[in-house]
Amino acid sequence: MTSAGRFAPSPSGELHVGNLRTAILAWLFARSSSREFLLRVEDLDRARAGAEAEQLRDLEAIGVTWDRGVVRQTARGALYAKAIERLQHAGLTYECFCTRREIQEAPSAPHALQGAYPGTCRNLDAAELEFRRASRPAAVRLRSEVHEYTVHDVLHGEFTGLVDDFVLRRNDGVTAYNLAVVVDDAAQGIDQVVRGDDLLPSTPRQAYLASLLKIPAPEYAHVPLVVNADGVRLAKRDGAVTLGDLDQRGITAAAVRDRLLASLGLPAGTLQRALDAFDPAGLPREPWIWTGMG
Ligand code: GLU
C-alpha cells in the first residue's frame, strides 16, 4: 500500500481562502515527505450541486495537483457498512433512539465530560429495544470503553480529548463523518492527515475508532485556521473570500496563491518553489488574519 496525504473537502459550497490555505499545506506536507496526495470528496452530507466541480477547478487554479482519481464518499457505503458490522460483531455498538432534544435535556452522568452523549440508550433491555424500534429508526453508536484518548500531532504535540459513545450511522441511514473518515483514510493508504485545527477535538474519537478497527492511526498535523478581523473563523459572509469573488475584483488565482504562500513564510511563484523552502517546524502556529486583497 502506498503512503499518502490528502485533502477532503465537503462540497457544500465554494472553497474560501482558509480552505485553500489548508489544501496548500496538506499538499506541501505530503509532497515534502514523498507521499502521494489524494483528493476525497466528503459528500455524505451537505453536498450542493455543482460545488465539487468548483472546488476541483479552484484547487487546480492555485496549483494543487493530486494523484489517482477523485474518491467520493457516496460511492463507498459498502465499505462503511462492513466496518460497522465488524464493530457490531465485537459487541462495540448499540442502537440509539434519542432525539437531539432528548440528548440536550438528559441529565448527564455525574462524572460525564462536557459534550458527551449521556448514555441513555446504552443498556436498553430487549423489551425496551422492541418498544423503541417500533417508534423510530435507530442510530448506531459506538460502545466506547474509554472516556478520553491521546493522539500525537506534529504541530500540537500530545493532545488528549473526549471520546464518548459517538454516532457511527445516523438514524436516517447516513454514515457519520467520524466513521467514514477513519475507514476511508485506511482504505486509501492515507497515513498523514493535515487539516484545520478546528478538527483537533474530533481526532481522539477517530484515533480510538481506528484502534478498535486495528488500523494504525495516521500522522496528524492540525494547521491554524484563517480568521477574520474579529478573530472568528473565516466564512463566506466575510466578503470576497473565494477565488470567484476575488476574480470579480480583478485578483487572479496566482495572486491569491502567492498571498497564501506569503502568509506561510514561503516564496511566491509556484507550489513547487514553495515546496523547496517548506519546513513544517517553521510554520506559523497562530491563526492567520485575512484582511482582504485589492
Ligand atoms: N470534510 C471535512 C471538512 O471539509 C474535513 C474532514 C477531514 O479533513 O478529516 O471540514
Side-chain angles (χ1 to χ4, degrees):
M1 180 76 83
T2 53
S3 154
R6 47 60 155 196
F7 184 59
S10 303
S12 54
E14 267 177 275
L15 298 171
H16 60 54
V17 289
N19 309 128
L20 294 172
R21 188 173 187 257
T22 299
I24 288 176
L25 280 168
W27 187 93
L28 289 167
F29 267 93
R31 295 295 189 217
S32 66
S33 57
S34 306
R35 286 177 164 91
E36 284 195 340
F37 187 65
L38 308 182
L39 200 73
R40 183 170 72 235
V41 175
E42 302 211 321
D43 56 353
L44 289 177
D45 204 11
R46 297 189 293 143
R48 178 175 68 68
E52 176 190 320
E54 287 166 2
Q55 293 187 340
L56 301 190
R57 183 200 61 205
D58 288 353
L59 288 169
E60 279 180 327
I62 57 161
V64 171
T65 51
W66 54 90
D67 302 302
R68 301 196 250 164
V70 172
V71 162
R72 289 175 196 84
Q73 289 190 320
T74 44
R76 297 163 76 79
L79 214 59
Y80 309 140
K82 222 163 92 189
I84 292 174
E85 244 167 65
R86 275 178 61 196
L87 295 166
Q88 266 160 351
H89 287 148
L92 289 167
T93 66
Y94 62 88
E95 289 169 65
C96 171
F97 303 88
C98 291
T99 60
R100 205 173 287 242
R101 176 134 179 221
E102 281 165 343
I103 294 173
Q104 272 162 10
E105 290 176 356
S108 45
H111 303 295
L113 290 151
Q114 189 72 26
Y117 173 67
T120 320
C121 292
R122 189 174 166 109
N123 297 308
L124 297 181
D125 64 27
E128 274 173 311
L129 261 178
E130 199 179 332
F131 176 74
R132 301 213 188 184
R133 278 183 188 144
S135 64
R136 57 191 316 259
V140 177
R141 282 188 185 273
L142 181 71
R143 188 180 291 280
S144 171
E145 288 165 341
V146 302
H147 296 293
E148 54 179 37
Y149 200 73
T150 300
V151 295
H152 184 266
D153 183 279
V154 173
L155 301 177
H156 295 258
E158 303 272 286
F159 176 81
T160 300
L162 169 75
V163 179
D164 64 347
D165 289 351
F166 58 90
V167 171
L168 304 174
R169 184 160 58 221
R170 300 183 340 201
N171 75 351
D172 59 3
V174 175
T175 307
Y177 157 68
N178 280 320
L179 185 279
V181 77
V182 169
V183 169
D184 280 335
D185 284 343
Q188 293 184 270
I190 289 163
D191 60 357
Q192 179 187 60
V193 169
V194 178
R195 57 188 178 190
D197 63 13
D198 53 328
L199 287 168
L200 186 59
S202 306
T203 307
R205 286 186 175 96
Q206 295 169 14
Y208 174 61
L209 183 59
S211 76
L212 295 178
L213 290 166
K214 312 264 185 289
I215 295 166
E219 171 181 290
Y220 293 109
H222 286 86
V223 300
L225 295 180
V226 177
V227 297
N228 67 18
D230 298 324
V232 177
R233 170 150 59 131
L234 199 72
K236 295 283 162 55
R237 61 178 172 279
D238 291 315
V241 293
T242 65
L243 290 189
D245 300 334
L246 290 161
D247 184 65
Q248 284 193 357
R249 300 181 175 205
I251 297 159
T252 63
V256 178
R257 176 203 60 213
D258 287 348
R259 178 69 178 272
L260 295 175
L261 290 173
S263 80
L264 296 166
L266 293 169
T270 63
L271 291 198
Q272 190 56 48
R273 275 194 65 202
L275 181 60
D276 295 336
F278 179 64
D279 173 16
L283 280 178
R285 303 297 172 106
E286 300 299 316
W288 182 55
I289 303 169
W290 171 256
T291 50
M293 280 179 80

